[in-house]
Amino acid sequence: MNFDGIYLAGVGTHLPPSVTTEEAVRTGRYTEEAHEASGLESVAVETSLPAVDMAVRAARTAVSRSGHQAQDFLGLLHSSTYYQGPEGWSPAHYILLNTLDRPISAHHVQHGCLGVLAGLQTAALRLAASSDPDAAMLLTAADNFETPLVDRWRSSSMFVLADAGSSLVVSRRGGFARLLAMDFVSQPGMEAMHRGAEPLLPPQVPVSRVMDFDARLEHWRLKWAEGGAIPLGDFGELIADSVQRTLAAADSSLERVTRIVHNGFNRDPLSVFLLDPLGLSADRGTWELNRRIGHASVSDFALGLEHLWNTGQVRPGDQVLMLGFTTGMEAACALLEITSGPEPVR
Protein backbone atom coordinates (compact mmCIF):
# COMPACT_ATOMS: atom_id res chain seq x y z
CA MET A 1 0.00 0.00 0.00
CA ASN A 2 1.44 3.38 -0.97
CA PHE A 3 0.76 6.69 0.76
CA ASP A 4 0.77 10.31 -0.35
CA GLY A 5 1.22 13.29 1.93
CA ILE A 6 1.81 11.38 5.19
CA TYR A 7 4.90 12.30 7.24
CA LEU A 8 6.73 11.58 10.47
CA ALA A 9 6.98 14.99 12.11
CA GLY A 10 8.57 13.99 15.41
CA VAL A 11 10.36 11.12 17.11
CA GLY A 12 11.21 10.67 20.77
CA THR A 13 12.64 7.86 22.89
CA HIS A 14 13.44 7.05 26.50
CA LEU A 15 16.32 4.66 27.16
CA PRO A 16 17.28 3.65 30.71
CA PRO A 17 20.87 2.83 31.74
CA SER A 18 22.36 -0.36 30.36
CA VAL A 19 23.65 -3.47 32.10
CA THR A 20 26.64 -4.99 30.33
CA THR A 21 26.36 -8.60 29.26
CA GLU A 22 29.67 -9.25 31.02
CA GLU A 23 28.10 -8.07 34.28
CA ALA A 24 25.07 -10.29 33.66
CA VAL A 25 27.39 -13.28 33.19
CA ARG A 26 29.39 -12.39 36.31
CA THR A 27 26.22 -12.25 38.44
CA GLY A 28 24.80 -15.50 37.02
CA ARG A 29 21.90 -13.96 35.10
CA TYR A 30 23.34 -14.87 31.70
CA THR A 31 25.53 -17.76 30.59
CA GLU A 32 28.89 -17.19 28.96
CA GLU A 33 27.86 -19.43 26.07
CA ALA A 34 24.71 -17.37 25.42
CA HIS A 35 26.69 -14.16 25.79
CA GLU A 36 29.21 -15.17 23.16
CA ALA A 37 26.51 -16.38 20.77
CA SER A 38 24.40 -13.24 21.11
CA GLY A 39 27.01 -10.68 20.11
CA LEU A 40 25.42 -8.26 22.61
CA GLU A 41 27.48 -5.78 24.60
CA SER A 42 24.78 -4.48 26.95
CA VAL A 43 21.03 -4.36 27.55
CA ALA A 44 18.81 -1.43 28.60
CA VAL A 45 17.23 -2.11 32.02
CA GLU A 46 14.73 0.18 33.79
CA THR A 47 14.42 -0.64 37.49
CA SER A 48 11.94 2.01 38.64
CA LEU A 49 10.02 3.73 35.84
CA PRO A 50 6.78 2.04 34.63
CA ALA A 51 6.37 1.42 30.91
CA VAL A 52 3.65 4.06 30.52
CA ASP A 53 5.86 6.74 32.08
CA MET A 54 8.66 5.89 29.66
CA ALA A 55 6.10 6.33 26.88
CA VAL A 56 5.05 9.71 28.29
CA ARG A 57 8.65 10.95 28.36
CA ALA A 58 9.23 9.82 24.78
CA ALA A 59 5.94 11.36 23.59
CA ARG A 60 6.72 14.75 25.08
CA THR A 61 9.98 14.79 23.14
CA ALA A 62 8.30 13.70 19.89
CA VAL A 63 5.52 16.30 20.18
CA SER A 64 8.02 19.05 20.99
CA ARG A 65 10.12 18.15 17.94
CA SER A 66 7.07 17.94 15.66
CA GLY A 67 5.99 21.56 15.93
CA HIS A 68 2.39 20.42 16.37
CA GLN A 69 0.08 21.77 19.07
CA ALA A 70 -2.19 19.55 21.15
CA GLN A 71 -5.27 20.67 19.22
CA ASP A 72 -3.83 19.26 15.97
CA PHE A 73 -4.03 15.66 17.16
CA LEU A 74 -6.93 13.41 16.11
CA GLY A 75 -5.99 10.48 18.35
CA LEU A 76 -3.35 8.47 20.22
CA LEU A 77 -2.30 4.87 19.59
CA HIS A 78 -0.21 3.10 22.23
CA SER A 79 1.46 -0.28 21.67
CA SER A 80 3.11 -2.78 23.99
CA THR A 81 3.85 -6.48 24.32
CA TYR A 82 3.78 -6.86 28.10
CA TYR A 83 2.17 -5.64 31.33
CA GLN A 84 1.30 -1.94 31.39
CA GLY A 85 -0.77 -1.70 34.58
CA PRO A 86 -3.85 -3.10 36.35
CA GLU A 87 -6.08 -5.40 34.28
CA GLY A 88 -9.01 -3.55 32.75
CA TRP A 89 -7.21 -0.19 32.97
CA SER A 90 -6.39 1.91 29.87
CA PRO A 91 -2.70 2.75 29.56
CA ALA A 92 -3.43 4.71 26.37
CA HIS A 93 -5.63 7.19 28.22
CA TYR A 94 -3.05 7.57 31.00
CA ILE A 95 -0.49 8.55 28.36
CA LEU A 96 -3.03 10.85 26.68
CA LEU A 97 -3.74 12.61 30.00
CA ASN A 98 -0.05 13.17 30.65
CA THR A 99 0.81 14.40 27.15
CA LEU A 100 -1.90 16.01 25.01
CA ASP A 101 -4.65 16.04 27.66
CA ARG A 102 -7.42 16.37 25.08
CA PRO A 103 -10.80 14.55 24.73
CA ILE A 104 -9.68 12.54 21.68
CA SER A 105 -9.71 8.79 21.16
CA ALA A 106 -6.86 6.73 22.62
CA HIS A 107 -6.40 3.06 21.64
CA HIS A 108 -4.13 0.28 22.84
CA VAL A 109 -2.60 -1.53 19.85
CA GLN A 110 -1.36 -5.04 20.61
CA HIS A 111 0.37 -6.60 17.64
CA GLY A 112 3.51 -7.95 19.23
CA CYS A 113 6.78 -6.37 18.18
CA LEU A 114 5.05 -4.91 15.10
CA GLY A 115 2.78 -2.75 17.27
CA VAL A 116 4.36 0.52 16.15
CA LEU A 117 4.10 -0.40 12.46
CA ALA A 118 0.47 -1.43 12.96
CA GLY A 119 -0.13 1.89 14.69
CA LEU A 120 1.65 3.74 11.88
CA GLN A 121 -0.56 2.14 9.24
CA THR A 122 -3.72 2.92 11.24
CA ALA A 123 -2.61 6.52 11.82
CA ALA A 124 -1.74 7.00 8.14
CA LEU A 125 -5.15 5.76 7.03
CA ARG A 126 -6.88 7.97 9.61
CA LEU A 127 -4.97 11.04 8.44
CA ALA A 128 -5.55 10.24 4.78
CA ALA A 129 -9.28 10.40 5.49
CA SER A 130 -9.03 13.79 7.22
CA SER A 131 -9.61 17.11 5.46
CA ASP A 132 -7.54 19.03 8.04
CA PRO A 133 -4.11 19.86 6.55
CA ASP A 134 -2.63 20.22 10.05
CA ALA A 135 -3.98 16.92 11.39
CA ALA A 136 -1.64 14.64 13.35
CA MET A 137 -1.69 11.35 15.27
CA LEU A 138 0.46 10.44 18.28
CA LEU A 139 2.01 6.97 18.45
CA THR A 140 3.57 5.73 21.68
CA ALA A 141 5.19 2.42 22.66
CA ALA A 142 6.82 1.02 25.76
CA ASP A 143 7.63 -2.12 27.74
CA ASN A 144 9.31 -2.75 31.07
CA PHE A 145 10.38 -6.36 31.65
CA GLU A 146 11.89 -5.83 35.11
CA THR A 147 9.68 -8.35 36.90
CA PRO A 148 10.09 -11.85 38.39
CA LEU A 149 7.61 -13.06 35.75
CA VAL A 150 10.11 -12.40 32.97
CA ASP A 151 13.69 -13.61 32.76
CA ARG A 152 14.87 -11.10 30.20
CA TRP A 153 18.21 -12.87 29.79
CA ARG A 154 16.88 -16.40 29.22
CA SER A 155 13.30 -16.16 27.92
CA SER A 156 14.46 -16.69 24.33
CA SER A 157 17.64 -17.71 22.55
CA MET A 158 16.77 -15.20 19.81
CA PHE A 159 16.98 -12.05 21.92
CA VAL A 160 17.46 -10.43 25.31
CA LEU A 161 14.51 -8.25 26.31
CA ALA A 162 15.25 -4.56 26.85
CA ASP A 163 13.21 -1.77 28.45
CA ALA A 164 12.41 1.41 26.53
CA GLY A 165 9.77 3.92 25.57
CA SER A 166 9.31 5.54 22.17
CA SER A 167 7.00 7.82 20.24
CA LEU A 168 6.28 9.06 16.71
CA VAL A 169 4.15 11.96 15.54
CA VAL A 170 2.44 11.16 12.24
CA SER A 171 1.39 14.27 10.33
CA ARG A 172 -0.30 15.57 7.20
CA ARG A 173 1.53 18.91 7.42
CA GLY A 174 5.08 17.70 6.90
CA GLY A 175 8.02 16.32 8.83
CA PHE A 176 11.51 14.87 8.77
CA ALA A 177 10.46 11.73 6.87
CA ARG A 178 7.74 10.92 4.33
CA LEU A 179 5.89 7.60 4.44
CA LEU A 180 6.06 6.05 0.97
CA ALA A 181 4.55 2.59 1.42
CA MET A 182 3.79 -0.21 3.90
CA ASP A 183 2.91 -3.88 3.80
CA PHE A 184 1.86 -6.64 6.22
CA VAL A 185 1.82 -10.34 5.37
CA SER A 186 1.17 -13.30 7.69
CA GLN A 187 1.53 -17.06 7.83
CA PRO A 188 -1.22 -17.97 10.35
CA GLY A 189 -0.41 -21.67 10.16
CA MET A 190 2.61 -20.88 12.34
CA GLU A 191 0.69 -19.24 15.21
CA ALA A 192 1.11 -22.35 17.37
CA MET A 193 4.89 -21.90 17.45
CA HIS A 194 4.56 -19.39 20.29
CA ARG A 195 1.56 -21.06 21.95
CA GLY A 196 3.21 -24.39 22.61
CA ALA A 197 1.13 -26.70 24.78
CA GLU A 198 -0.26 -23.99 27.06
CA PRO A 199 -4.08 -24.14 27.47
CA LEU A 200 -6.34 -21.35 26.23
CA LEU A 201 -8.91 -21.87 29.00
CA PRO A 202 -9.11 -21.32 31.88
CA PRO A 203 -6.80 -18.27 32.19
CA GLN A 204 -3.54 -19.16 33.90
CA VAL A 205 -2.69 -17.55 37.23
CA PRO A 206 0.04 -15.10 36.17
CA VAL A 207 2.41 -15.79 39.05
CA SER A 208 2.42 -19.51 38.34
CA ARG A 209 4.27 -19.31 35.04
CA VAL A 210 7.31 -17.31 33.95
CA MET A 211 7.27 -16.21 30.30
CA ASP A 212 9.47 -18.64 28.38
CA PHE A 213 9.42 -18.61 24.57
CA ASP A 214 12.06 -21.32 24.25
CA ALA A 215 9.97 -23.76 26.33
CA ARG A 216 7.06 -23.33 23.91
CA LEU A 217 9.32 -23.99 20.95
CA GLU A 218 10.76 -27.02 22.72
CA HIS A 219 7.25 -28.52 22.81
CA TRP A 220 7.25 -28.57 19.01
CA ARG A 221 10.81 -29.87 18.79
CA LEU A 222 9.77 -32.87 20.91
CA LYS A 223 6.69 -33.49 18.77
CA TRP A 224 8.87 -33.38 15.67
CA ALA A 225 11.28 -35.90 17.23
CA GLU A 226 8.29 -38.17 17.89
CA GLY A 227 7.24 -37.94 14.24
CA GLY A 228 4.38 -35.50 14.78
CA ALA A 229 3.37 -32.61 12.55
CA ILE A 230 4.69 -29.18 13.47
CA PRO A 231 3.66 -25.68 12.29
CA LEU A 232 6.54 -24.99 9.92
CA GLY A 233 6.77 -22.45 7.12
CA ASP A 234 9.30 -20.57 5.03
CA PHE A 235 9.54 -17.41 7.07
CA GLY A 236 12.34 -15.97 4.97
CA GLU A 237 9.98 -16.06 2.02
CA LEU A 238 7.40 -14.17 4.07
CA ILE A 239 9.94 -11.42 4.84
CA ALA A 240 11.05 -11.16 1.23
CA ASP A 241 7.44 -11.01 0.02
CA SER A 242 6.58 -8.14 2.36
CA VAL A 243 9.64 -6.16 1.28
CA GLN A 244 9.05 -6.80 -2.42
CA ARG A 245 5.44 -5.61 -2.24
CA THR A 246 6.35 -2.49 -0.27
CA LEU A 247 9.15 -1.50 -2.60
CA ALA A 248 6.96 -2.15 -5.65
CA ALA A 249 4.19 0.06 -4.22
CA ALA A 250 6.70 2.90 -3.89
CA ASP A 251 8.39 2.17 -7.25
CA SER A 252 11.66 1.62 -5.40
CA SER A 253 14.22 -1.15 -4.87
CA LEU A 254 16.59 -2.48 -2.21
CA GLU A 255 19.46 -0.80 -4.04
CA ARG A 256 17.70 2.52 -3.52
CA VAL A 257 17.37 1.92 0.25
CA THR A 258 20.16 3.49 2.30
CA ARG A 259 19.55 1.80 5.67
CA ILE A 260 17.36 -0.83 7.32
CA VAL A 261 15.77 -0.44 10.77
CA HIS A 262 14.86 -3.84 12.22
CA ASN A 263 14.00 -5.87 15.33
CA GLY A 264 16.76 -5.91 17.94
CA PHE A 265 17.49 -9.61 17.74
CA ASN A 266 20.75 -11.33 18.64
CA ARG A 267 23.41 -11.48 15.93
CA ASP A 268 22.67 -14.87 14.34
CA PRO A 269 18.82 -14.73 14.39
CA LEU A 270 18.99 -11.22 12.95
CA SER A 271 20.99 -12.51 10.00
CA VAL A 272 19.06 -15.75 9.49
CA PHE A 273 15.52 -14.37 9.73
CA LEU A 274 15.78 -10.79 8.49
CA LEU A 275 18.98 -9.94 6.65
CA ASP A 276 19.98 -13.13 4.83
CA PRO A 277 16.62 -13.60 3.03
CA LEU A 278 17.20 -10.17 1.47
CA GLY A 279 20.91 -10.61 0.84
CA LEU A 280 21.75 -7.76 3.25
CA SER A 281 24.76 -7.32 5.53
CA ALA A 282 24.57 -6.14 9.14
CA ASP A 283 26.13 -2.77 8.30
CA ARG A 284 23.03 -1.87 6.29
CA GLY A 285 20.96 -2.25 9.46
CA THR A 286 21.03 -0.97 13.03
CA TRP A 287 23.03 -3.78 14.66
CA GLU A 288 25.60 -1.27 15.93
CA LEU A 289 22.82 0.21 18.09
CA ASN A 290 20.88 -2.97 18.88
CA ARG A 291 23.94 -4.74 20.30
CA ARG A 292 24.15 -2.03 22.99
CA ILE A 293 20.41 -2.07 23.83
CA GLY A 294 18.98 -5.55 23.25
CA HIS A 295 15.50 -6.24 21.89
CA ALA A 296 13.32 -3.33 23.02
CA SER A 297 10.14 -5.02 21.71
CA VAL A 298 7.79 -2.36 20.28
CA SER A 299 10.38 0.43 20.51
CA ASP A 300 13.04 -1.06 18.21
CA PHE A 301 11.81 0.84 15.15
CA ALA A 302 11.64 4.34 16.66
CA LEU A 303 14.95 3.80 18.48
CA GLY A 304 16.69 2.77 15.27
CA LEU A 305 15.16 5.53 13.17
CA GLU A 306 15.99 8.24 15.70
CA HIS A 307 19.55 6.96 15.99
CA LEU A 308 20.18 7.00 12.24
CA TRP A 309 18.57 10.43 11.86
CA ASN A 310 20.23 12.13 14.85
CA THR A 311 23.70 10.81 14.00
CA GLY A 312 23.49 11.89 10.36
CA GLN A 313 23.70 8.35 9.02
CA VAL A 314 20.69 9.16 6.84
CA ARG A 315 20.23 12.44 5.02
CA PRO A 316 17.48 14.15 2.99
CA GLY A 317 16.66 12.03 -0.05
CA ASP A 318 17.74 8.75 1.57
CA GLN A 319 15.24 5.91 1.88
CA VAL A 320 14.92 3.91 5.11
CA LEU A 321 13.18 0.54 5.32
CA MET A 322 11.69 -0.42 8.70
CA LEU A 323 11.41 -4.21 8.70
CA GLY A 324 10.44 -6.82 11.26
CA PHE A 325 8.24 -9.70 12.31
CA THR A 326 6.20 -10.89 15.26
CA THR A 327 4.39 -13.94 16.55
CA GLY A 328 1.54 -15.15 14.40
CA MET A 329 3.70 -15.33 12.30
CA GLU A 330 3.55 -11.95 10.60
CA ALA A 331 6.06 -9.75 8.80
CA ALA A 332 5.74 -6.07 7.98
CA CYS A 333 7.74 -3.19 6.62
CA ALA A 334 7.44 0.54 6.02
CA LEU A 335 9.44 2.56 3.50
CA LEU A 336 10.36 6.13 4.43
CA GLU A 337 12.14 8.94 2.62
CA ILE A 338 14.14 11.32 4.81
CA THR A 339 13.14 14.91 4.01
CA SER A 340 15.23 16.92 6.51
CA GLY A 341 18.01 16.52 9.05
CA PRO A 342 17.80 17.11 12.82
CA GLU A 343 17.95 20.67 14.10
CA PRO A 344 21.48 21.63 15.20
CA VAL A 345 22.09 21.52 18.95
CA ARG A 346 22.41 25.07 20.34
Side-chain angles (χ1 to χ4, degrees), residues 14-20 42-48 163 292-293:
H14 172 79
L15 263 181
S18 293
V19 174
T20 66
S42 56
V43 175
V45 176
E46 177 58 69
T47 59
S48 60
D163 306 327
R292 303 195 304 270
I293 294 175

Side-chain angles (χ1 to χ4, degrees), residues 78-150:
H78 177 63
S79 61
S80 67
T81 65
Y82 194 63
Y83 180 82
Q84 301 288 289
E87 292 184 19
W89 171 69
S90 174
H93 288 87
Y94 174 93
I95 296 166
L96 177 62
L97 172 65
N98 289 281
T99 53
L100 305 175
D101 193 15
R102 283 177 47 77
I104 55 178
S105 181
H107 295 175
H108 193 178
V109 179
Q110 290 187 289
H111 192 33
C113 298
L114 296 181
V116 165
L117 294 189
L120 177 57
Q121 182 185 62
T122 302
L125 292 172
R126 175 71 177 87
L127 292 175
S130 173
S131 59
D132 183 355
D134 289 327
M137 292 283 291
L138 181 59
L139 307 184
T140 63
D143 274 314
N144 186 325
F145 298 102
E146 188 66 4
T147 165
L149 297 180
V150 176

Side-chain angles (χ1 to χ4, degrees), residues 181-227:
M182 295 190 71
D183 186 73
F184 286 76
V185 59
S186 72
Q187 203 167 70
M190 295 179 69
E191 63 80 21
M193 292 294 291
H194 291 87
R195 173 164 47 86
E198 295 188 23
L200 301 180
L201 273 177
Q204 299 297 293
V205 179
V207 76
S208 70
R209 190 183 298 270
V210 175
M211 185 171 70
D212 189 342
F213 290 109
D214 278 355
R216 298 173 192 173
L217 295 178
E218 182 63 21
H219 164 75
W220 294 109
R221 293 189 190 103
L222 292 174
K223 286 187 71 69
W224 190 12
E226 295 168 358

